Amino acid sequence: MVKIVTLLPAQHLPRFKTCTCYQFYSYLASSKILICIFSLKCSGGLELLCDSVKIHSINVDLPAEEKKLTMKHLLAWVRSNLIKERPEMFMKGDTVRPGVLVLVNDCDWELSGQLDTTLEDKDVIVFISTLHGG
Amino acid sequence: MDSNGGRVDELLTELQSLKDSKLDIEARISVLEAQLQQIQSNQKPSSDCSSEFGHDLTPDMIYRYSRQLLLPSFGVQGQSNLLKSSILVIGAGGLGSPALLYLAACGVGRLGMVDHDVVELNNLHRQIIHGEAYIGRSKVESAAAACRSINSTIEIMEHREALRTSNALEIVSKYDIVVDATDNAPSRYMISDCCVLLGKPLVSGAALGLEGQLAVYNYNGGPCYRCLFPTPPPTTACQRCSDSGVLGVVPGVIGCLQALEAIKVASLVGEPLSGRMLLFDALSARIRIVKIRGRSSQCEACGENATLTREEFQHFDYEKFTQSPLSAAPLKLKLLTTDSRISSKEYDEVVKNGEAHILIDVRPSHHYKIVSLPKSTNIPLANLEDRLPEISSELKSKGIYVVCRRGNDSQRAVQLLHKKGFTSAKDIVGGLESWAHDVDQRFPTY
């Protein structure tokens, strides 16, 4: 099977002229798995990690030897296909770094089994980096 | 050096003991004021009305809060609960400003505010409780005056000090509900732990750039901040409004929602945002409410085997834990030796003497657009390495000076230039802020 990455048309995306500061909020979305990254940026922040794109629509193929797609597969896929730089701002080991909340269909992934959460067609995944400002 | 060190210790000890006495005195003043108010309000004939109308609202209160009393789901009972409640707002900044205004206006019985900061001109776009007349004065003094001008019938408690592990338990214990309107990671962990120890519900809000977040912690068996974030994020992931910027109305929206949640908890009306989190994205006009985990049995603060005690709390180093400072003071790096650095005054001499040189401004381009020095070249630090080839011929023949906003990134840039063989590169100590301070007072700061 062919892996296809489709970014939403540019006019559907928030525009960020510069990079350093902005939180981003990325909807990795489309026909199969929707992923949405909604985060706090950092100097060279999370949005930069994905070319400042907040919303992505992606199709992820099931690894050949697996029956179900899990968050673990998805994170590995995001790391190798979407994160362009400084992966340590997004991940630590094989999971997300401290301070990033992962939501599967608007629900904390702690409640669905974290890395073992099984993903289905049209699921929406959101990565949120916690904010501290005020 | 030793005698200096001894003197410093002596001063620090005396300062600490004076601060402790000051706290004791302030605490005593608060207690006495509260007692006085109690006696005075008991003497007012209006308080006898309680039996007259079947509730404890005076005629003035009925008129003032009439629009809330008219709400079937809030009504006399909700208002009466609110009037008996006490709420502490920590931070009188972007979040605290609207929160305090609404909490004072709606009739919270006792409203406390903590902040050690003073009002600055660049606060006013978002910290709407403060006015120009209060620039340079205490934020708490300013906020208290604004709250009193809206509602002189409630009790307002001023805590003009930074919340620390040494005073947090004492201050927080005087209130029923805590609103976290601070701006940094160590404060958030400290306040959450303090609320867990004292069993206080915590309404936590945050805002930065064009996004905000809101949740109610430690309420009715729900999670605390540590349940959600057991490990602090890396320092590089903690941005401040003073570096990253914030649109004024964004903390305004979150601060209003914090007041709303605090009112709901205080009046026992509705369903507080516990076990859920609200995410506000101003740019796309989207609000999502997501379900978060419940109380964690492994939580170090509130879990089954939690070991956190008041004693430990008072000695816990939250700055070390989160690797970031409690105060908003910007970082001051020292990466270079003095012979690779030059003061803004010395640089001014270089310009006046007409020495051939190139000045590289390594700030991000949107900073450069705000204000820049004449004849400087903007190459953001992130692009410096890639763009070296296009300027290297010029760099080889001239002196190289590097400037940024405060003198941190310029040092990183000079380190990079040295590594690439441009060993004459120097940075301007203190950046454009020192230029504005020491050379050209009309040069804008931001």
Side-chain angles (χ1 to χ4, degrees), chain B residues 154-378:
Chain B
I154 62 164
E155 192 184 340
I156 288 168
M157 312 280 284
E158 299 178 37
H159 304 278
R160 294 185 203 180
E161 54 195 310
L163 197 75
R164 294 196 181 84
T165 51
S166 55
N167 60 10
L169 289 166
E170 190 209 316
I171 294 175
V172 171
S173 64
K174 293 177 192 155
Y175 299 87
D176 303 328
I177 299 163
V178 176
V179 173
D180 182 348
T182 59
D183 60 0
N184 60 78
S187 294
R188 293 186 182 278
Y189 280 97
M190 176 176 77
I191 291 165
S192 176
D193 287 352
C194 184
C195 286
V196 167
L197 284 171
L198 298 170
K200 310 285 183 188
L202 171 62
V203 182
S204 182
L208 188 78
L210 291 151
E211 277 185 75
Q213 295 173 356
L214 175 78
V216 176
Y217 295 113
N218 199 40
Y219 177 72
N220 241 350
C224 77
Y225 190 73
R226 265 190 205 256
C227 294
L228 210 53
F229 303 109
T231 313
T235 326
T236 42
C238 299
Q239 294 301 301
R240 294 188 315 246
C241 295
S242 57
D243 293 331
S244 304
V246 60
L247 194 69
V249 66
V250 172
V253 169
I254 299 297
C256 286
L257 289 169
Q258 284 184 280
L260 174 60
E261 290 305 310
I263 290 167
K264 280 157 64 184
V265 173
S267 60
L268 303 171
V269 163
E271 199 187 333
L273 193 74
S274 170
R276 295 180 292 158
M277 182 183 273
L278 181 146
L279 310 168
F280 173 57
D281 180 20
L283 259 198
S284 64
R286 281 197 181 91
I287 292 178
R288 306 170 82 92
I289 290 164
V290 302
K291 189 171 169 14
I292 54 177
R293 69 201 72 171
R295 178 160 287 188
S296 160
S297 57
Q298 268 97 54
C299 177
E300 285 179 24
C302 73
E304 283 159 13
N305 303 313
T307 50
L308 186 70
T309 62
R310 292 180 187 209
E311 186 70 34
E312 270 179 17
F313 171 81
Q314 284 176 313
H315 296 103
F316 194 89
D317 188 340
Y318 286 90
E319 295 186 318
K320 197 172 154 202
F321 175 62
T322 57
Q323 301 276 300
S324 48
L326 276 162
S327 72
L331 191 70
K332 273 218 184 306
L333 287 178
K334 199 158 186 270
L335 303 174
L336 301 173
T337 53
T338 44
D339 55 344
S340 296
R341 312 198 70 186
I342 178 173
S343 73
S344 53
K345 280 184 175 162
E346 286 165 333
Y347 176 72
D348 189 35
E349 291 302 313
V350 170
V351 176
K352 282 179 180 153
N353 296 339
E355 289 174 31
H357 71 280
I358 175 168
L359 177 64
I360 304 176
D361 186 327
V362 292
R363 293 174 299 153
S365 58
H366 65 289
H367 284 231
Y368 189 77
K369 280 179 196 148
I370 300 172
V371 61
S372 61
L373 284 174
K375 293 183 189 161
S376 59
T377 306
N378 182 215

